Amino acid sequence: MRVARIEAQAKINLSLRVLQRDPDGYHGLVTHFHRVDLSDQVLVRAGGSGRAITCAGKRMPAGGLGPPEKNLAYRAAVEFSNRAGWPDGFEIEIDKRIPVGGGLGGGSADAAAVLRVLNALAPKPLSPQEIWSAACALGSDVPFLAGEHLRAIAEGRGTDLAYVFDETPYERYRMVIVVPPFSISTADAYRWIDEDRAQRGQTGPEPLKPIKLITMHPSKDDVRRAMEDATNNDFEPVVEARHPEIRRIREQLVKEGAELARLAGSGSCVFALFRDLPPKTLDLDFEAQLIPTRLSSKVVQVEVLE
Ligand code: C5P
């Protein structure tokens, strides 16, 4: 048995444009990914002949995560094994700390972690191109998270990394992730975008607004507006129309000094960036948890144990 583990970092989308629906039902994307320090811990034992996955931890949903064969991390190990001809058997252990159904790419992070861990242990590792191709077969966020970059601008299905960055301009920010008491299915969120566009007779997104340049001595409000203009999320209006709690969370975060408060991916979590100390609680009439974290300043590496 060979054993390795990794902290599987989550992602946020600083910007997320959903383009037209293609004939196969999927939508083109243009998105700005950034890794986040909030992570699941993923440990893989490779070798033997059995195949298993166990998930535990404080973010495990009450109903579990469904059958192992459908779990994206399990599927990642099968995908790797098919391509690399190794390993036959594996055991995956996941400590879930990233909210499930929150838009933070938790499932994708676990799958990407499995690809990276197995590649670090493999007798004949796959090339970065082969890892990317395996990641594309698993889902939109996996190629970015299976790579070695802190942030990226991606196109296609979110799979084609058009620009990658190893540095971040956001180091001085602190971050809070707010977890509302409900999750959102990605498929539903895309459907809501289609329904709203159909109602307005549109097929694609609203036209872009020009980004206003910041003046020499910007006020806090100028900076906040510029951050808002420079980022976006096409899911935000359609999700807020169906879950007004999201708008309430974003308003409270701005009131508490957030420079940016946006829906994470297709929701249901909201992330906010603060220059100063972020709040520990929010004034809301429903339950919501606050997770303090940061935008990552490094890509976590695999730790080989045995
Ligand atoms: O990638 P994932 O399996 O989470 O996607 C769930 C659903 O979201 C898909 O079945 C599809 O309906 C929708 N989707 C989409 N365009 C994308 C990604 C997902 O329409 N680029």
Side-chain angles (χ1 to χ4, degrees):
M1 282 277 188
R2 299 221 54 206
V3 188
R5 74 175 166 212
I6 191 168
E7 291 296 327
Q9 290 159 298
K11 60 83 192 168
I12 57 159
N13 305 78
L14 283 164
S15 165
L16 177 48
R17 296 280 288 176
V18 178
L19 307 183
Q20 290 195 160
R21 185 168 182 268
D22 292 336
D24 64 0
Y26 279 78
H27 298 72
L29 301 175
V30 181
T31 188
H32 183 174
F33 285 119
H34 203 304
R35 282 178 198 266
V36 173
D37 280 350
L38 176 66
S39 60
D40 287 348
Q41 191 179 70
V42 178
L43 180 141
V44 186
R45 293 190 185 84
S49 57
R51 295 182 166 189
I53 183 164
T54 53
C55 300
K58 62 179 175 201
R59 292 282 166 197
M60 265 301 282
L65 288 175
E69 297 75 25
K70 291 212 167 147
N71 187 295
L72 204 58
Y74 184 99
R75 285 175 45 209
V78 172
E79 191 72 36
F80 186 93
S81 172
N82 289 346
R83 287 169 192 256
W86 180 92
D88 277 344
F90 54 79
E91 286 169 36
I92 303 168
E93 281 175 24
I94 301 178
D95 181 9
K96 290 274 346 149
R97 301 178 207 133
I98 305 170
V100 174
L104 298 162
S108 302
D110 298 343
V114 166
L115 293 180
R116 291 180 71 207
V117 163
L118 285 176
N119 214 34
L121 296 177
K124 283 196 198 123
L126 299 179
S127 69
Q129 177 66 29
E130 287 170 310
I131 289 290
W132 176 81
S133 163
C136 285
L138 295 162
S140 292
D141 303 330
V142 189
F144 166 63
L145 291 167
E148 297 290 337
H149 303 287
L150 211 46
R151 60 188 185 108
I153 293 174
E155 300 172 349
R157 297 281 147 85
T159 46
D160 304 347
L161 306 182
Y163 297 95
V164 291
F165 306 89
D166 291 333
E167 283 165 13
T168 174
Y170 303 104
E171 244 157 330
R172 61 178 180 272
Y173 286 99
R174 290 155 190 273
M175 186 170 164
V176 164
I177 289 169
V178 183
V179 191
F182 53 87
S183 61
I184 290 174
S185 121
T186 306
D188 283 350
Y190 277 104
R191 190 167 43 78
W192 297 338
I193 285 189
D194 290 342
E195 285 170 4
D196 283 24
R197 285 178 184 168
Q199 243 176 22
R200 287 199 305 272
Q202 292 177 343
T203 49
E206 294 282 341
L208 290 172
K209 278 186 263 151
I211 296 172
K212 288 179 210 86
L213 292 173
I214 294 191
T215 55
M216 282 294 276
H217 301 287
S219 69
K220 223 174 161 177
D221 246 13
D222 291 336
V223 175
R224 190 179 57 73
R225 268 196 293 269
M227 285 285 278
E228 251 172 34
D229 286 350
T231 63
N232 76 292
N233 182 344
D234 284 343
F235 287 111
E236 211 171 69
V238 303
V239 168
E240 279 186 353
R242 286 143 182 103
H243 292 284
E245 299 92 334
I246 301 286
R247 170 164 287 271
R248 175 96 182 122
I249 290 171
R250 294 202 307 120
E251 283 168 356
Q252 286 302 308
L253 286 162
V254 169
K255 210 167 151 194
E256 294 289 339
E259 225 154 71
L260 181 72
R262 286 235 173 273
L263 184 71
S266 55
S268 62
C269 289
V270 173
F271 71 87
L273 301 182
F274 291 83
R275 292 265 191 144
D276 308 318
L277 229 49
K280 291 206 165 59
T281 56
L282 290 178
D283 180 17
L284 297 168
D285 52 12
F286 53 91
E287 213 181 296
Q289 290 167 344
L290 273 65
I291 306 176
T293 183
R294 278 186 180 270
L295 288 161
S296 303
S297 54
K298 67 175 174 39
V299 179
V300 177
Q301 295 302 310
V302 174
E303 202 185 337
V304 175
L305 303 174
E306 283 170 37

